[in-house]
Amino acid sequence: MRKERNIFAVCDLEVEYAYHFMEYLSRKKNIPFEIRVFTSAQTLLDFVKEHPVELLLISENAMCDDIQEQDIGQILILSEGIVPESTYEYPSIYKYQPSAQVVREALACYGEKRHIPPPLLQTDRKHVEIIGIYSPVGRTMKTTFALTLGQVLAKSRAVLYLNLEEYSGFEYLLEKNYDQTLGDLLYYLRQNASNLAGKLNGMVQTVNNLDFVPPVLSPMDIQQTSLKEWTQLLQEIAGNSVYDVILLDLGDGVTELYELMELCNKIYMPIRTDPMSQAKINQFENLLRLWDKIPVLERIQKIKLPYHRTIHKGAGYFDDLVWSELGDFVRELLRKETGGSV
């Protein structure tokens, strides 16, 4: 029997805000909670008396003594600016910012408080598919394909994209700085942080429903991570999150790269057909045979991608990918593999 997820309740007296927030949460496939939204304090209070609430995000004008007296895992205040003195004991989150940022801050606060693995994250997991994207050849649009594939898959599945390249360029591509990156997640892993899944949820970013952890800023974070650590990280994500698919955008800086590939259910290899590119692919395949990595060789699917060009940066770049010829290529690729629609 599948264990019920714990409850993330949101209460705001501003009806339009509450339902806009609920609409956003309903599209998120990686939220490891059952979501409930309330537009009155009394309705919330009646619910809490009958159902255990693990996390409550409540506007400052809805908060009251009766709610404070309830057995709620953690309470966060949705603040409009100046936090009332009566709610000082609770962490506050600024209300009028993008919903994605509100959720990230809420999950980060939750993760910081929980010093043991949160019960809501211990689910009876179905199979988690790990898909690798790698090529020994440069300039094959490997990452472009990975981001397109991720967005298409995220239309119907919960997908997490991890870039394991030494130089991803994400901050420059998306024109955005990130407070925490994959390097921080690896640090928490090495410190044996018991709430790693909570920390992951607090740093995940989303573009077009595709979740990703901002890539490392220093190539040393990739080069100095062992196979054991990558394996442990993937096991933590697969066992303590609600993702159906983990996409690994692999680079040559990964230690024991071929062994990490063995963890993948399938590997897409973008290729080029010029003589030099073919020579590099032949060398790569021969090494797999020499090192007895035949299972890896059998999981590789070579793909020749259509040309794609965009002048956009930021979110516009991601939008262009989905609706380009490359997006059509990915949808057709998945149709052939699944025998159905995407």
Side-chain angles (χ1 to χ4, degrees):
M1 181 180 295
R2 185 179 178 83
K3 187 186 298 182
E4 289 187 6
R5 293 187 291 176
N6 286 348
I7 294 171
F8 178 0
V10 180
C11 181
D12 195 297
L13 306 186
E14 188 179 334
V15 176
E16 185 176 352
Y17 180 92
Y19 282 100
H20 172 77
F21 200 73
M22 181 178 68
E23 183 181 4
Y24 170 77
L25 290 173
S26 67
R27 296 197 304 267
K28 293 290 294 175
K29 297 181 176 62
N30 73 313
I31 301 293
F33 295 86
E34 177 184 342
I35 308 297
R36 295 296 182 95
V37 176
F38 303 89
T39 56
S40 79
Q42 186 58 52
T43 305
L44 169 65
L45 192 59
D46 293 341
F47 179 85
V48 170
K49 289 177 179 179
E50 300 293 331
H51 305 86
V53 171
E54 180 67 19
L55 178 60
L56 171 62
L57 187 59
I58 184 169
S59 61
E60 53 196 35
N61 56 357
M63 191 61 168
C64 63
D65 292 341
D66 287 341
I67 290 175
Q68 294 185 47
E69 293 171 0
Q70 302 305 309
D71 185 16
I72 296 172
Q74 182 168 17
I75 297 176
L76 306 174
I77 303 299
L78 267 177
S79 168
E80 296 186 10
I82 300 175
V83 180
E85 188 174 342
S86 60
T87 62
Y88 276 176
E89 65 180 288
Y90 304 110
S92 64
I93 297 173
Y94 182 58
K95 175 178 177 177
Y96 298 114
Q97 58 180 327
S99 298
Q101 183 62 26
V102 173
V103 171
R104 270 195 299 275
E105 291 185 22
L107 293 176
C109 286
Y110 177 81
E112 287 298 326
K113 181 179 179 182
R114 291 309 194 209
H115 299 296
I116 58 174
L120 68 118
L121 296 173
Q122 305 304 314
T123 57
D124 298 327
R125 293 295 294 145
K126 58 181 178 297
H127 176 68
V128 177
E129 185 176 16
I130 299 177
I131 300 176
I133 301 95
Y134 173 78
S135 180
V137 180
R139 306 296 297 171
T140 60
M141 301 197 303
K142 175 178 68 71
T143 295
T144 305
F145 167 78
L147 293 172
T148 308
L149 174 67
Q151 290 181 88
V152 173
L153 287 173
K155 296 289 184 183
S156 58
R157 304 172 73 183
V159 183
L160 179 67
Y161 168 83
L162 297 178
N163 185 293
L164 273 57
E165 296 179 304
E166 296 166 288
Y167 297 96
S168 70
F170 260 55
E171 289 202 348
Y172 303 93
L173 175 67
L174 294 176
E175 300 177 328
K176 183 176 181 181
N177 294 322
Y178 299 103
D179 294 331
Q180 293 187 303
T181 70
L182 179 60
D184 295 290
L185 190 62
L186 291 167
Y187 170 79
Y188 296 138
L189 179 76
R190 294 180 184 117
Q191 298 304 308
N192 296 314
S194 59
N195 57 342
L196 190 71
K199 293 183 180 297
L200 169 68
N201 283 322
M203 66 177 64
V204 160
Q205 306 284 320
T206 305
V207 177
N208 289 342
N209 219 40
L210 172 64
D211 285 357
F212 68 93
V213 176
V216 303
L217 297 179
S218 168
M220 293 179 65
D221 287 328
I222 297 296
Q223 297 165 358
Q224 295 180 355
T225 301
S226 67
L227 173 66
K228 180 180 178 181
E229 290 167 335
W230 288 126
T231 302
Q232 184 181 350
L233 178 62
L234 293 174
Q235 288 174 338
E236 288 280 349
I237 295 172
N240 296 322
S241 75
V242 294
Y243 289 109
D244 304 308
V245 180
I246 301 173
L247 289 185
L248 299 182
D249 189 350
L250 300 165
D252 288 316
V254 175
T255 303
E256 299 177 276
L257 174 63
Y258 294 173
E259 285 74 13
L260 183 56
M261 286 181 174
E262 289 183 309
L263 301 180
C264 298
N265 301 100
K266 70 172 69 170
I267 302 162
Y268 291 109
M269 180 189 288
I271 63 170
R272 297 172 63 179
T273 56
D274 62 278
M276 180 56 72
S277 297
Q278 288 298 304
K280 291 181 178 181
I281 292 169
N282 288 338
Q283 180 180 353
F284 169 75
E285 292 176 336
N286 284 333
L287 278 175
L288 286 176
R289 296 185 185 96
L290 283 173
W291 293 341
D292 198 25
K293 301 297 181 185
I294 302 304
V296 173
L297 199 57
E298 292 173 344
R299 292 171 199 161
I300 291 175
Q301 180 175 348
K302 296 178 185 176
I303 50 176
K304 189 173 186 305
L305 302 175
Y307 179 73
H308 171 74
R309 180 183 179 185
T310 179
I311 60 173
H312 292 108
K313 291 185 178 180
Y317 174 78
F318 282 74
D319 289 332
D320 285 352
L321 295 179
V322 176
W323 304 113
S324 67
E325 186 178 351
L326 180 58
D328 293 337
F329 174 89
V330 169
R331 281 184 284 272
E332 183 60 26
L333 177 69
L334 295 176
R335 284 193 195 97
K336 290 179 179 178
E337 290 181 358
T338 61
S341 60
V342 178

